């Protein structure tokens, strides 16, 4: 059975860093498109970052220069390094995958068919 399991969320002060991880099992997701989206209370899901099958990346303007998405094929794990965190980065972060496409952008991520259970990120000012 296909599974995506996120970890690494937590509570940090503004300006701090967190690294989210997403362990994939049941399928070799790393060869396909993956990404992260987030959802803050009372808000819609927002694509944050995406990585193509060939490793090309894209980011929402709000996180560009602060967040980095990467994948480790050997470990079948997706990462999101988040630096210079801001209060507006608060939310539940989800890892997602789409096995049907080879090229995607960060805006596509909330519509990916496979997600994890999410990990909570809180930023205090």
């Amino acid at each position: 059975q296909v599974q995506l399991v996120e970890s690494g969320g937590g509570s940090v002060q503004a300006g701090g860093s967190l690294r989210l991880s997403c362990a994939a099992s049941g399928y070799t997701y790393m060869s396909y498109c993956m990404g992260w989206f987030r959802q803050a209370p009372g808000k819609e899901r927002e694509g944050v970052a995406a990585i193509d099958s060939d490793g090309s990346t894209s980011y929402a303007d709000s996180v560009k220069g602060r967040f980095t998405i990467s994948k480790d094929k050997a470990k079948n794990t997706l990462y999101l390094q988040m630096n210079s965190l801001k209060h507006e980065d608060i939310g539940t972060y989800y890892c997602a995958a789409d096995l049907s496409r080879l090229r995607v952008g960060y805006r596509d991520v909330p519509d990916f068919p496979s997600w994890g259970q999410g990990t909570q990120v809180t930023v205090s000012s």
Side-chain angles (χ1 to χ4, degrees):
Q1 186 174 351
V2 169
Q3 262 197 321
L4 297 171
V5 179
E6 301 95 336
S7 61
S11 182
V12 296
Q13 288 191 327
S17 298
L18 286 172
R19 188 176 82 153
L20 306 183
S21 299
C22 172
S25 61
Y27 207 97
T28 307
Y29 273 105
M30 301 298 117
S31 298
Y32 297 91
C33 295
M34 299 192 72
W36 295 90
F37 69 91
R38 65 189 179 189
Q39 188 164 26
K43 294 188 177 181
E44 293 187 353
R45 291 179 290 170
E46 175 190 20
V48 173
I51 186 164
D52 278 350
S53 58
D54 66 356
S56 299
T57 58
S58 64
Y59 299 91
D61 288 345
S62 59
V63 307
K64 200 173 293 183
R66 301 187 296 121
F67 290 12
T68 303
I69 187 171
S70 62
K71 56 185 178 183
D72 185 327
K73 291 186 177 183
K75 295 183 179 180
N76 223 23
T77 300
L78 182 73
Y79 301 100
L80 185 68
Q81 178 66 45
M82 306 188 296
N83 299 328
S84 303
L85 281 160
K86 303 176 181 180
H87 186 263
E88 49 263 43
D89 294 319
I90 285 175
T92 302
Y93 283 69
Y94 297 87
C95 164
D98 190 333
L99 307 185
S100 66
R101 298 189 255 193
L102 298 178
R103 297 286 182 269
V104 292
Y106 70 89
R107 291 188 178 91
D108 300 315
V109 180
D111 296 324
F112 283 7
S114 301
W115 325 344
Q117 83 291 348
T119 186
Q120 185 71 33
V121 171
T122 303
V123 183
S124 58
S125 47

